[in-house]
C-alpha cells in the first residue's frame, strides 16, 4: 500500500446475506495486489465455510484465519467461554494490526460480539484508534453499533429482500457455507 493512502475502516452490517463473503472478497482482491490479510473470526466455531477452505487451500501465503468461537450459535445467555474467546479474538486482532506485513484485517462478526455484550463498543473503538494509519480494517456482522458506524469511512448495509430459506430451501453448499 502506498504511503499516501490512509487505512480505511469499513463496516458490513445488516440482516442480509453476504457480509462475511464480501469481506473475504476484499482478502482476495488484496492478495491479488500483493498484500497480506488476516481474518479474526469472532463467534465462529464448528463448521468450516467455503471461504475458509479456499483460503487454506489456495491462498495460505496471503490470508491467515484465526477462529474464536464454539460450535453452533449463541442462544440465550452467552457462556463464560464466549466472553473469554471474544477477548482472545480481540487480543489477536491487536497483534495482527501491528504486523507490518499485513495490510488488511477482517474482524468477522465483531459487530455481533458487541451487540451480545461479549465486548464493549469502547474496546473496539480503542482498537481502531490504536491501529496503524496504513491498515485497512473491515468489521462484519449484524447490528453494527452506532458509534462504530460514526467513525467508519465506509458502511454497507446488507438487506434481505428475499431469501430461499423462506421457501423451505435449506442451506446450499458453496452458497451459504
Amino acid at each position: 500500500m502506498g504511503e499516501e493512502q490512509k487505512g480505511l475502516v469499513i463496516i458490513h452490517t445488516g440482516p442480509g446475506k453476504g457480509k462475511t463473503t464480501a469481506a473475504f472478497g476484499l482478502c482476495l482482491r488484496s492478495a491479488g495486489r500483493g498484500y497480506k490479510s488476516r481474518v479474526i473470526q469472532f463467534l465462529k466455531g464448528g463448521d468450516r465455510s467455503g471461504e475458509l477452505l479456499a483460503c487454506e487451500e489456495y491462498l495460505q501465503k496471503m490470508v491467515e484465519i484465526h477462529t474464536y468461537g464454539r460450535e453452533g450459535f449463541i442462544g440465550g445467555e452467552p457462556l463464560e467461554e464466549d466472553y473469554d474467546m471474544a477477548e482472545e479474538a480481540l487480543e489477536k486482532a491487536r497483534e495482527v494490526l501491528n504486523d507490518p506485513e499485513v495490510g488488511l484485517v477482517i474482524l468477522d462478526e465483531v459487530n455481533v460480539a458487541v451487540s451480545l455484550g461479549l465486548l464493549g463498543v469502547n474496546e473496539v473503538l480503542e482498537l481502531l484508534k490504536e491501529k496503524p494509519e496504513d491498515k485497512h480494517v473491515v468489521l462484519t456482522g449484524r447490528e453494527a453499533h452506532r458509534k462504530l458506524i460514526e467513525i467508519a469511512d465506509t458502511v454497507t448495509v446488507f438487506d434481505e429482500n428475499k431469501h430461499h430459506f423462506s421457501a423451505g430451501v435449506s442451506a446450499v453448499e458453496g452458497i451459504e457455507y
Side-chain angles (χ1 to χ4, degrees):
M1 184 166 41
E3 288 182 40
E4 72 285 351
Q5 293 182 340
K6 170 190 181 276
L8 301 174
V9 173
I10 300 168
I11 294 178
H12 293 173
T13 193
K17 173 184 169 357
K19 297 174 288 291
T20 295
T21 302
F24 271 94
L26 291 175
C27 289
L28 182 61
R29 180 173 282 169
S30 188
R33 295 295 183 176
Y35 303 119
K36 292 184 179 181
S37 300
R38 298 294 179 264
V39 178
I40 312 300
Q41 293 191 304
F42 293 75
L43 311 175
K44 293 225 173 147
D47 291 340
R48 297 161 54 74
S49 69
E51 296 97 338
L52 189 143
L53 296 171
C55 288
E56 287 177 349
E57 181 72 23
Y58 305 108
L59 294 172
Q60 66 269 55
K61 292 179 183 173
M62 300 303 287
V63 181
E64 201 174 277
I65 301 167
H66 304 274
T67 302
Y68 299 86
R70 60 185 164 95
E71 195 170 331
F73 295 103
I74 296 176
E77 286 296 309
L79 302 175
E80 190 62 36
E81 68 181 302
D82 296 320
Y83 292 95
D84 293 343
M85 285 188 276
E87 286 296 333
E88 286 177 42
L90 192 66
E91 190 54 42
K92 182 54 124 176
R94 258 188 210 94
E95 178 186 317
V96 300
L97 276 170
N98 289 305
D99 184 337
E101 291 187 11
V102 175
L104 173 66
V105 177
I106 308 293
L107 304 179
D108 190 32
E109 301 296 353
V110 71
N111 294 330
V112 177
V114 170
S115 73
L116 289 173
L118 300 176
L119 297 172
V121 68
N122 289 334
E123 289 179 279
V124 178
L125 287 167
E126 190 64 31
L127 176 78
L128 296 173
K129 191 166 84 173
E130 293 171 0
K131 83 172 187 63
E133 183 65 26
D134 63 341
K135 300 288 183 193
H136 300 299
V137 180
V138 180
L139 294 79
T140 74
R142 297 170 184 243
E143 301 176 14
H145 195 283
R146 66 173 176 73
K147 288 183 179 180
L148 295 171
I149 289 172
E150 286 171 10
I151 62 102
D153 298 293
T154 301
V155 177
T156 302
V157 178
F158 289 66
D159 196 11
E160 184 179 308
N161 292 314
K162 184 177 182 179
H163 198 292
H164 56 268
F165 286 174
S166 302
V169 178
S170 60
V172 177
E173 184 176 47
I175 302 297
E176 270 80 37
Y177 63 94

